């Protein structure tokens, strides 16, 4: 059976691409007093699996897993960065999969403040393994789906300019370059990614001296050069602006405009060569401050699409801070594809935090992997195995300090297919920590429509993680996740998979460096959606014991 491998020539090319950038950062860092800390751990687990599938029947598998991890953290006055890498080696017996496999992974981030509070250079990236197919969401891993996993490498560099000292005018701007490279998997030979993204985003708005007239204008340009399966370039442009004039107290009049263009070199299915949309409108606004306002407008559209051109619709724009740690943001309008909306809710107290984000946008896999994170991140201790002991962080530019690592709040489900998609998604998280219990709940709903071919996918997923301290050094951990996945196309009227994952066990801290762990895992995939080694219908029961030792 073909084994998934990393494309080393691509890795070396990326390393050379970023060598000059990171070398300049290193020189700057070590010209001052640098604080560099190194850390490491090694983890070993022995796992017994009983896999009962409709394709291969019943299989008993024993797997020895060894995973060394190493990292470095850098902190100076102007530069912060980290690098964390691991290698997972598996040795199997009694399996139809290869007898041994090795999976290297890493993540890094660096942030250099070249000019205090004005100019910042950043870099980040990762090498991880992801599902090629969306059908195995939540249950595919190294132990049961090596034929459906592929290495996905992303690297990004960016420069951010922030001018916030002006009394009348303020502005921010970001330019970035990113590269995405994903291999073909053993199962899906035609699914791979090789793309480059060039983007520029900016905003200019009024300063604090504005009393009766408030205004803002922003825009974005993203060009994705796709080399996958001969796909052509995908270019997006959007811009929006508004002006609020207060007439009576906090009440006033708003005028606004919006422009969006999505361009692909070829003409396929629902996506034309140049989908262009413009709208303008006016309405009323109630404004207390830049963090507390609501505007409702009546708008009219201009489009080459006769069904959309001249259409009138109601638009909404609001930001409302209910407290310093609780806020609601929402923007509602239209474009060529129907409704256009973004919304978010953030809530935080001493023991509880919650986030909810909705978006409806035209995008593709490369952008989802590198540029678009819809909700936020968890900041976790470097040695943690789950997110129940983590703090939510909505600043996506956050760089972890000593002893911390960054974990996405939710890994969204999508196929590694670089086609242009109209993606509607709702993702949310809730965390609770008090006394002996830590709890984290996450959910996601997504609806994807591929605009270059007649295919759509839906995901509904819920995950609950908990960690309960039984005594000073003993914890009970539990993770229950469930997902319903659907796909429809012209050739196939509909397929569905219901995926369930239950992971429970005990963790015993024998001393500050040594952790003993034992887990029982139950995985169940049911339906007719999925083509992995074990088919679309199988059950995987596991018992594992292991230990983790920390170095510093």
């Amino acid at each position: 059976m073909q084994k998934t491998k990393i494309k080393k020539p691509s890795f070396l090319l990326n390393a050379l691409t970023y060598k000059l950038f990171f070398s300049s950062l290193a020189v700057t860092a070590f010209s001052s007093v640098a604080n560099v800390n190194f850390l490491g751990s090694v983890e070993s687990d022995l796992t017994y699996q009983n896999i009962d599938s409709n394709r291969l029947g019943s299989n008993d598998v024993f797997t020895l897993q060894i995973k060394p991890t190493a990292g470095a953290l850098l902190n100076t006055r102007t530069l912060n960065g980290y690098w964390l890498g691991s290698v997972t080696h598996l040795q199997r017996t009694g399996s139809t999969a290869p007898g041994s496999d090795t999976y290297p992974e890493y993540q890094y981030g660096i942030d250099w403040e070249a000019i205090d509070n004005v100019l910042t250079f950043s870099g980040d990236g990762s090498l991880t393994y992801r599902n090629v197919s969306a059908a195995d969401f939540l249950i595919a891993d190294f132990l049961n789906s090596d034929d459906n996993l592929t290495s996905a490498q992303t690297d990004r560099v960016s420069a951010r300019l922030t001018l916030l000292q002006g009394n009348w005018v303020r502005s921010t701007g970001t330019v970035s370059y990113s590269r995405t490279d994903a291999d073909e998997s053993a199962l899906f030979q035609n699914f791979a990614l090789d793309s480059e993204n060039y983007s520029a985003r900016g905003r200019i708005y009024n300063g604090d001296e504005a009393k009766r007239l408030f205004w803002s204008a922003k825009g974005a340009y993203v060009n994705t050069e796709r080399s996958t399966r001969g796909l052509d370039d995908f270019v997006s442009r959007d811009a929006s602006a508004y002006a609020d004039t207060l007439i009576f107290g906090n009440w006033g009049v708003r005028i606004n405009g919006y422009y969006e263009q999505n361009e692909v070199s070829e003409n396929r299915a629902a996506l034309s060569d140049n989908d262009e949309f413009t709208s303008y409108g006016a309405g009323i606004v109630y404004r207390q401050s830049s963090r507390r306002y609501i505007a409702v407008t009546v708008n009219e559209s201009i489009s080459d699409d006769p069904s959309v051109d001249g259409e009138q619709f109601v638009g909404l724009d609001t930001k409302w801070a209910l407290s310093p740690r609780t806020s609601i943001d929402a923007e509602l309008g239209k474009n060529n594809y129907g409704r256009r909306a973004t919304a978010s809710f953030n809530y935080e107290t001493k023991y509880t935090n919650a986030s909810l984000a909705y978006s409806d946008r035209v995008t593709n896999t490369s952008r989802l992997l590198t540029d678009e994170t819809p909700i936020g991140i968890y900041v976790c201790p470097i040695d943690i195995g789950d997110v129940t002991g983590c703090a939510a962080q909505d600043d996506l530019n956050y760089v972890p300090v000593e002893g911390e690592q960054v974990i996405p709040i939710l890994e969204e489900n999508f196929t590694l297919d670089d086609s242009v998609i109209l993606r509607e998604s709702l993702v949310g998280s809730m965390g609770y920590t008090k006394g002996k219990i830590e709890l984290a709940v996450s959910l996601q709903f997504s609806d994807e429509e591929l605009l270059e071919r007649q295919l759509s996918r839906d995901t509904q997923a819920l995950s609950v993680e908990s960690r309960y301290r039984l005594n000073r050094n003993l914890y009970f951990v539990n993770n229950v996740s469930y997902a319903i996945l659907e796909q429809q196309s012209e050739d196939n009227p509909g397929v569905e998979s219901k995926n369930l994952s239950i992971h429970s066990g005990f963790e015993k801290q024998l001393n500050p460096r040594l952790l003993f762990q034992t887990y029982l895992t139950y995985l169940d995939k049911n339906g007719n959606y999925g083509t992995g080694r074990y088919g679309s219908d199988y059950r995987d029961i596991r018992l594992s014991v292991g230990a983790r030792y920390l170095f510093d």
Side-chain angles (χ1 to χ4, degrees):
M1 175 170 291
Q2 181 180 343
K3 181 179 175 182
T4 303
K5 297 181 179 178
I6 302 170
K7 295 179 180 177
K8 291 185 172 61
S10 175
F11 174 81
L12 293 175
L13 177 61
N14 284 337
L16 291 173
T17 302
Y18 300 106
K19 181 178 179 181
L20 181 60
F21 175 77
F22 290 114
S23 295
S24 65
L25 297 187
V27 170
T28 302
F30 290 101
S31 62
S32 59
V33 179
N35 182 14
V36 182
N37 294 282
F38 299 95
L39 51 92
S41 68
V42 61
E43 181 177 354
S44 179
D45 295 279
L46 180 63
T47 302
Y48 163 73
Q49 289 176 268
N50 176 260
I51 305 175
D52 190 4
S53 67
N54 60 354
R55 176 174 294 179
L56 298 178
S58 180
N59 286 269
D60 292 324
V61 183
F62 288 90
T63 303
L64 175 64
Q65 175 178 295
I66 300 174
K67 181 181 180 181
T69 300
L73 300 150
L74 168 66
N75 290 280
T76 71
R77 187 183 67 83
T78 60
L79 190 146
N80 293 285
Y82 75 99
W83 182 92
L84 187 65
S86 66
V87 177
T88 302
H89 178 75
L90 305 180
Q91 196 73 35
R92 303 183 182 93
T93 60
S95 171
T96 58
S100 64
D101 263 318
T102 302
Y103 302 94
E105 297 181 285
Y106 66 79
Q107 59 173 302
Y108 68 87
I110 194 163
D111 203 16
W112 175 35
E113 194 169 15
I115 303 176
D116 290 353
N117 301 316
V118 176
L119 181 62
T120 302
F121 294 97
S122 301
D124 60 80
S126 66
L127 174 66
T128 59
Y129 284 81
R130 295 186 58 99
N131 300 329
V132 176
S133 169
D136 292 325
F137 183 55
L138 297 180
I139 62 173
D141 59 15
F142 296 147
L143 296 179
N144 64 13
S145 297
D146 60 290
D147 57 343
N148 187 34
L149 296 174
T150 185
S151 59
Q153 180 181 335
T154 61
D155 298 284
R156 178 177 60 173
V157 292
S158 64
R160 184 171 66 253
L161 180 66
T162 305
L163 302 174
L164 301 181
Q165 305 305 316
N167 294 327
W168 294 98
V169 179
R170 297 180 177 181
S171 63
T172 61
T174 303
V175 294
S176 68
Y177 165 80
S178 62
R179 182 182 177 89
T180 304
D181 187 6
D183 297 337
E184 295 177 339
S185 71
L187 183 64
F188 294 92
Q189 297 294 318
N190 294 322
F191 282 75
L193 297 180
D194 183 8
S195 63
E196 296 177 279
N197 289 326
Y198 304 85
S199 68
R201 294 179 172 86
R203 181 184 176 219
I204 183 169
Y205 56 102
N206 60 267
D208 287 341
E209 290 297 323
K211 304 301 180 185
R212 310 299 296 178
L213 175 64
F214 304 90
W215 55 273
S216 174
K218 61 183 179 180
Y221 169 85
V222 184
N223 181 5
T224 302
E225 296 183 353
R226 302 180 294 172
S227 301
T228 306
R229 303 190 316 279
L231 295 174
D232 292 327
D233 294 354
F234 169 37
V235 181
S236 298
R237 304 174 182 87
D238 67 77
S240 62
Y242 71 80
D244 295 340
T245 302
L246 300 186
I247 298 175
F248 180 76
N250 293 326
W251 292 90
V253 175
R254 165 171 289 202
I255 57 173
N256 63 267
Y258 177 78
Y259 172 82
E260 179 180 330
Q261 181 189 53
N262 293 289
E263 181 181 352
V264 175
S265 300
E266 78 248 59
N267 183 7
R268 295 184 185 177
L271 185 69
S272 66
D273 287 347
N274 190 340
D275 279 350
E276 192 170 2
F277 176 90
T278 304
S279 68
Y280 59 92
I284 59 173
V285 60
Y286 177 79
R287 187 182 190 102
Q288 293 184 358
S289 69
S290 60
R291 300 183 67 237
R292 295 169 68 97
Y293 68 83
I294 181 170
V296 179
T297 58
V298 177
N299 304 267
E300 184 168 330
S301 62
I302 302 173
S303 174
D304 294 332
D305 186 346
S307 63
V308 178
D309 185 51
E311 182 180 2
Q312 293 187 345
F313 61 92
V314 176
L316 171 70
D317 178 22
T318 182
K319 293 182 183 292
W320 204 268
L322 302 174
S323 72
R325 296 188 294 180
T326 302
S327 62
I328 299 173
D329 293 357
E331 186 175 349
L332 179 65
K334 276 186 171 274
N335 57 18
N336 267 350
Y337 313 102
R339 180 183 58 213
R340 172 182 59 85
T342 59
S344 65
F345 169 75
N346 293 283
Y347 170 78
E348 185 177 353
T349 65
K350 181 178 180 180
Y351 302 112
T352 306
N353 61 77
S355 298
L356 191 68
Y358 172 85
S359 64
D360 190 348
R361 61 197 186 276
V362 178
T363 184
N364 69 339
T365 300
S366 297
R367 297 183 185 182
L368 289 170
L369 286 172
T370 56
D371 288 337
E372 300 180 21
T373 305
I375 187 166
I377 56 178
Y378 281 121
V379 179
C380 307
I382 203 74
D383 61 338
I384 201 163
D386 52 61
V387 300
T388 51
C390 306
Q393 170 66 257
D394 58 6
D395 179 8
L396 304 181
N397 297 309
Y398 180 85
V399 175
V401 298
E402 181 180 354
E404 293 181 345
Q405 64 173 319
V406 168
I407 299 176
I409 278 185
L410 189 65
E411 182 179 280
E412 291 198 79
N413 186 36
F414 50 84
T415 296
L416 292 186
D417 178 347
D418 225 10
S419 298
V420 179
I421 57 176
L422 176 61
R423 192 169 201 271
E424 181 181 9
S425 68
L426 174 69
V427 295
S429 71
M430 189 276 289
Y432 175 80
T433 303
K434 186 178 182 181
K436 296 182 178 181
I437 190 169
E438 299 169 348
L439 178 69
V441 180
S442 59
L443 60 88
Q444 72 166 283
F445 300 92
S446 66
D447 183 2
E448 297 180 354
E449 180 184 350
L450 277 68
L451 298 179
E452 294 171 294
R453 51 196 178 101
Q454 298 299 316
L455 189 147
S456 63
R457 286 186 293 260
D458 299 320
T459 297
Q460 304 173 57
L462 176 68
S463 178
V464 180
E465 296 185 53
S466 62
R467 181 182 177 93
Y468 184 79
R469 180 165 54 85
L470 298 172
N471 58 42
R472 182 179 178 183
N473 297 314
L474 181 62
Y475 292 85
F476 173 71
V477 296
N478 188 58
N479 183 345
V480 179
S481 302
Y482 182 72
I484 300 176
L485 314 159
E486 299 175 313
Q487 179 172 294
Q488 303 87 31
S489 65
E490 286 184 327
D491 300 331
N492 196 330
V495 290
E496 181 185 69
S497 181
K498 296 179 180 178
N499 297 351
L500 172 66
S501 170
I502 302 175
H503 180 77
S504 301
F506 296 91
E507 296 179 352
K508 174 69 173 179
Q509 197 80 42
L510 300 178
N511 60 52
R513 295 179 181 273
L514 182 60
L515 176 73
F516 174 79
Q517 51 200 17
T518 178
Y519 304 111
L520 179 64
T521 302
Y522 177 84
L523 305 175
D524 183 77
K525 180 176 177 61
N526 183 270
N528 58 353
Y529 181 22
T531 56
R533 175 180 295 109
Y534 297 105
S536 60
D537 199 331
Y538 67 88
R539 183 199 63 200
D540 183 354
I541 300 176
R542 306 174 184 176
L543 177 63
S544 63
V545 293
R548 182 169 66 224
Y549 187 82
L550 305 177
F551 303 91
D552 57 20

